[in-house]
């Protein structure tokens, strides 16, 4: 609710939520649609949506003039009781795609890309219908025929788990094997790289593109990246690079997107539109909104529409991701084992170190549990570079004496997902070591490419 003073002013001027109003401050007018007041906002500040798509709040004080502006407004075309600011009218959600365009599957799982501003609270909430964000990107109809639009669940990525990965993998495999040229998976960004890694391992014999895409800013914001990300993802989904990958902004401007391998990509910024960066590898391709694609990494699978993909979704969820740090207590390992944990990935320092020659050495705990058949895999906290178990004496104690498995240049998140997938197939220590050291989806590169650092 706005303050009584503002409410009285709005009634006097014939202004309602959704009305187009003009607020003049020091002779400078600001015009836009009156928004509902956020619950935590200043009740004496009117919030208006500018034509640019951005919202501003203007405090009502002496010298500020507020009046109803001319022009067609939402209240002119519908009853206020049936209108919710920001929502696409159901009459507009009938999507028509050209059947002559390449058929693709679109699996919507939630996240910012499928969200809009809730003007009651000022926060972002999930759309009820994924067709809402497709409505905002009519260009898709010129690129693909979205034949299957699936919405298995609506979750923010931090609420997802391995069962969600399994469900997505099964849907993707079913659609690709039914004749779809590719699959697009819309998803929240925070844990997007966990899901891209999981699908990379769970989709065996993949020979069609599976493109994961999200947005840093909701579709109804003026600076949203959702539209261009979807457009570039559609081009990637019907392209020749048959990999699981993430396709999102490659730079802050709306110039191009990177399509990056699902096991070698990570969210590296909390809010930038180009937050997803390739780690220890070049991007697979640079994809432009007009469909032009520059292949940057020649090591990828090529499309083969005759092959059938297998959804191999076996997964052991009782795996832990631990971070080694100065003074960290290895007793947490014993505790997690007592709770049934069956495998560990350690975010180690540098070339693969953990506290060793100190009062809280991790070596005895690792050695004890490795003998009991529990695997320990290391991945470097530096992200860039790779584990090398041969350089320092402390490294030799962890890998040669205690029996930890060096994770090469795998990302910690990728190693965590991979270990769960491997343990879903075998509990044999020898086989676990063999599988963890085998690159199934490009997660371990043969050599480090200097040009990939901070790409």
């Amino acid at each position: 609710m706005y303050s009584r003073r503002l409410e009285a002013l709005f009634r006097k001027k014939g202004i309602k939520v959704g009305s187009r109003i003009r607020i003049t401050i020091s002779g400078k007018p600001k015009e836009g649609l009156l928004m509902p007041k956020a619950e935590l906002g200043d009740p004496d500040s009117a919030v208006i949506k500018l034509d640019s798509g951005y919202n501003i709040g203007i405090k009502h004080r002496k010298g500020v003039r507020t009046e109803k502006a001319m022009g067609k407004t939402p209240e002119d075309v519908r009853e206020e009781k049936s209108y919710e600011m920001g929502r696409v009218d159901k009459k507009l959600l009938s999507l028509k795609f050209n059947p002559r365009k390449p058929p693709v599957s679109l699996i919507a799982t939630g996240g910012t890309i499928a969200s809009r501003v809730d003007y009651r609270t000022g926060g972002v909430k999930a759309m009820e219908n994924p067709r809402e964000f497709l409505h905002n990107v009519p260009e898709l109809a010129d690129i693909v025929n979205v034949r299957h639009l699936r919405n298995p669940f609506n979750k923010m990525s931090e609420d997802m788990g391995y069962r969600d990965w399994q469900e997505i993998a099964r849907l993707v495999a079913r659609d690709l094997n039914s004749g779809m040229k590719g699959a697009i998976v819309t998803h929240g960004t925070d844990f997007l790289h966990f899901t891209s890694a999981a699908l990379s391992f769970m989709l065996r014999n993949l020979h069609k593109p599976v493109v994961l895409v999200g947005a840093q800013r909701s579709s109804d914001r003026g600076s949203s990246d959702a539209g261009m990300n979807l457009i570039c993802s559609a081009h990637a989904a019907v392209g020749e690079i048959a990999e699981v990958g993430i396709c999102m902004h490659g730079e802050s401007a709306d110039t191009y997107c990177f399509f990056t391998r699902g096991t070698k990509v990570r969210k590296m910024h909390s809010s930038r539109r180009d937050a997803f960066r390739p780690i220890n590898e070049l991007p697979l391709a640079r994809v432009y909104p007009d469909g032009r694609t520059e292949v940057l990494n020649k090591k990828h699978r090529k499309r083969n529409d005759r092959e059938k993909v297998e959804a191999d979704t076996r997964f052991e969820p009782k795996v832990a991701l631990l971070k080694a740090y100065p003074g960290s207590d290895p007793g947490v390992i014993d505790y997690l084992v007592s709770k049934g944990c069956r495998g560990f990935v350690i975010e180690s320092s540098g070339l693969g170190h953990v506290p060793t020659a100190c009062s809280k050495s991790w070596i005895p705990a690792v050695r004890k549990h490795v003998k009991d058949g529990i695997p320990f895999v290391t991945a470097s906290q530096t992200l860039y570079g790779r584990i090398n178990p041969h350089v320092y004496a402390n490294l030799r104690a962890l890998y040669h004496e205690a029996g930890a498995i060096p994770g090469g240049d795998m990302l910690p998140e990728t190693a965590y997902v991979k270990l769960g997938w491997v343990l879903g197939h075998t509990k044999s220590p020898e086989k676990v070591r063999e599988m963890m050291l085998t690159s199934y989806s490009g997660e371990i590169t043969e050599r480090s490419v200097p040009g990939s650092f901070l790409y």
Side-chain angles (χ1 to χ4, degrees), residues 142-160:
D142 298 325
I143 306 168
V144 294
N145 172 19
V146 179
R147 187 178 294 175
H148 298 313
L149 175 56
R150 309 200 185 279
N151 185 205
F153 48 79
N154 281 321
K155 294 183 180 182
M156 293 307 222
S157 64
E158 60 268 26
D159 297 328
M160 293 176 64

Side-chain angles (χ1 to χ4, degrees), residues 105-115 127 129-131 133-134 137 140 146 149-157 160 168 172 183-189 192 195 199 210-215 219 226-227 229-231 233-234 245-248:
S105 167
L106 192 146
I107 300 170
T109 68
T112 300
I113 193 170
S115 300
M127 295 175 182
N129 190 332
R131 291 176 181 268
F133 68 82
L134 289 183
V137 193
L140 287 180
V146 179
L149 175 56
R150 309 200 185 279
N151 185 205
F153 48 79
N154 281 321
K155 294 183 180 182
M156 293 307 222
S157 64
M160 293 176 64
I168 296 170
V172 168
I184 302 170
V185 180
T186 64
H187 194 290
T189 60
L192 177 55
T195 301
L199 295 183
V210 177
V211 187
L212 291 98
V213 59
S219 299
N229 289 346
L230 272 170
I231 289 168
S233 294
I246 292 174
C247 189
M248 290 184 62

Side-chain angles (χ1 to χ4, degrees), residues 200-206 308-310 312 421 440-441:
S200 297
F201 297 120
M202 290 181 177
L203 295 172
R204 297 289 86 209
N205 195 43
L206 180 68
K308 297 294 184 182
V309 62
E310 174 193 357
D312 181 357
W421 181 75
Y440 291 90
S441 298

Side-chain angles (χ1 to χ4, degrees), residues 15 49 54 75 106 126 130 148 188 193 263 273 337 343 352 396 420:
I15 295 171
K49 178 177 281 296
Y54 286 95
E75 65 174 358
L106 192 146
H148 298 313
H193 49 299
T263 56
R273 302 201 297 172
V337 170
R396 300 186 69 84

Side-chain angles (χ1 to χ4, degrees), residues 324-330 353-365 394 397:
Y325 55 89
S328 51
D329 189 345
H353 293 93
V354 297
T356 302
C358 57
S359 60
K360 294 183 178 180
S361 173
W362 283 42
I363 302 303
N394 284 2

